[in-house]
Amino acid sequence: MSCPINWRAGIAVVSVFILVRLAAGCASPGAMTAGGVVEPAQADNPQVTIDTSAGTMTVELWPHAAPATVSNFLAYVDAQFYDGTVFHRVINGFMIQGGGFQPDFLQKPTRQPVRNEAAFDYPNRRRTLAMARTADPHSATCQFFVNLVDNPQLDHRDKTREGFGYCVFGQVVAGFDVAETIAREPAGNHGPHQNVPARTILIRQVRRITP
């Protein structure tokens, strides 16, 4: 199953990250704005709504940061691929992940993997949307996750297998409370799958917002 690493593995990384930022005394790329989003929303960036059984989130996509990833995601959106899938992995204080499984845990057939476009300038900050993958850096297909907190252990550090990180390609600009509500669902095991919400969190549909 495509998944980002667990936050516990990155505790030491988080500590080092914070110390480096404090020592630098400067704002990092993707610094939070007064409105709580990572970057000010840009009118020409595509947006989509993720309508779930727990509520609706609006996501702004960043083609300037990850053009191939955004194009891949929108291809799934336009094909209505995400309709009827679920958020199958939720970890409060870390992230919520979905977009690949149906409620019966059958995995949907996917397009070819997209090349990992993770970059230093676009870290896994709270509210950002990123691609889930396996241990292969270039294995992401359809599954995505919403970062509930800053997760620097998921950031791009270098081009190695261990350091490539997870590609951030957008941010939640409205309805982030829905992601937080989903994260609070009790979770457990479902066959080989872990952190599965006890109540099905259905993705009813994902649609582009037309100007």
Side-chain angles (χ1 to χ4, degrees), residues 1 7 10 22 26 28 30 85 99 114 147 154 157 205 211:
M1 178 176 68
W7 66 273
L22 288 174
C26 61
S28 63
T85 61
V114 63
N147 283 297
L154 304 183
R157 299 191 304 276
Q205 63 176 30

Side-chain angles (χ1 to χ4, degrees), residues 6-210:
N6 193 286
W7 66 273
R8 292 178 178 85
I11 291 175
V13 178
V14 174
S15 301
V16 171
F17 179 87
I18 293 170
L19 289 172
V20 168
R21 286 300 174 199
L22 288 174
C26 61
S28 63
M32 298 293 285
T33 68
V37 296
V38 179
E39 287 191 0
Q42 302 296 319
D44 55 347
N45 282 343
Q47 293 192 3
V48 301
T49 55
I50 303 175
D51 180 24
T52 81
S53 54
T56 300
M57 294 176 277
T58 301
V59 172
E60 177 193 36
L61 305 176
W62 293 342
H64 59 282
T69 304
V70 169
S71 177
N72 174 73
F73 180 76
L74 287 175
Y76 282 110
V77 171
D78 293 341
Q80 300 183 9
F81 175 92
Y82 292 118
D83 299 10
T85 61
V86 296
F87 278 101
H88 65 275
R89 184 169 180 248
V90 301
I91 304 176
N92 199 11
F94 182 34
M95 60 92 229
I96 60 171
Q97 178 180 340
F101 289 95
Q102 297 170 318
D104 56 5
F105 268 80
L106 286 177
Q107 193 163 10
K108 298 187 71 172
T110 67
R111 296 159 52 88
Q112 289 299 307
V114 63
R115 187 164 185 81
N116 194 334
E117 297 177 294
F120 295 111
D121 291 344
Y122 296 96
N124 283 266
R125 301 292 299 273
R126 180 176 181 265
R127 288 179 176 261
T128 55
L129 187 73
M131 291 301 295
R133 59 173 177 81
T134 65
D136 178 354
H138 305 291
S139 60
T141 54
C142 60
Q143 292 186 36
F144 59 88
F145 62 95
V146 177
N147 283 297
L148 300 172
V149 297
D150 292 356
N151 285 312
Q153 72 274 19
L154 304 183
D155 291 347
H156 178 75
R157 299 191 304 276
D158 53 52
K159 298 291 187 180
T160 65
R161 185 181 179 93
E162 296 75 21
F164 221 106
Y166 292 77
C167 178
V168 169
F169 65 103
Q171 67 179 342
V172 178
V173 293
F176 184 67
D177 59 310
V178 173
E180 294 177 312
T181 296
I182 293 171
R184 289 193 292 269
E185 284 289 325
N189 296 336
H190 185 282
H193 305 286
Q194 298 178 326
N195 308 117
V196 178
R199 181 172 61 114
T200 298
I201 307 297
L202 188 68
I203 299 175
R204 294 191 175 112
Q205 63 176 30
V206 183
R207 294 289 184 274
R208 291 190 195 230
I209 298 176
T210 54

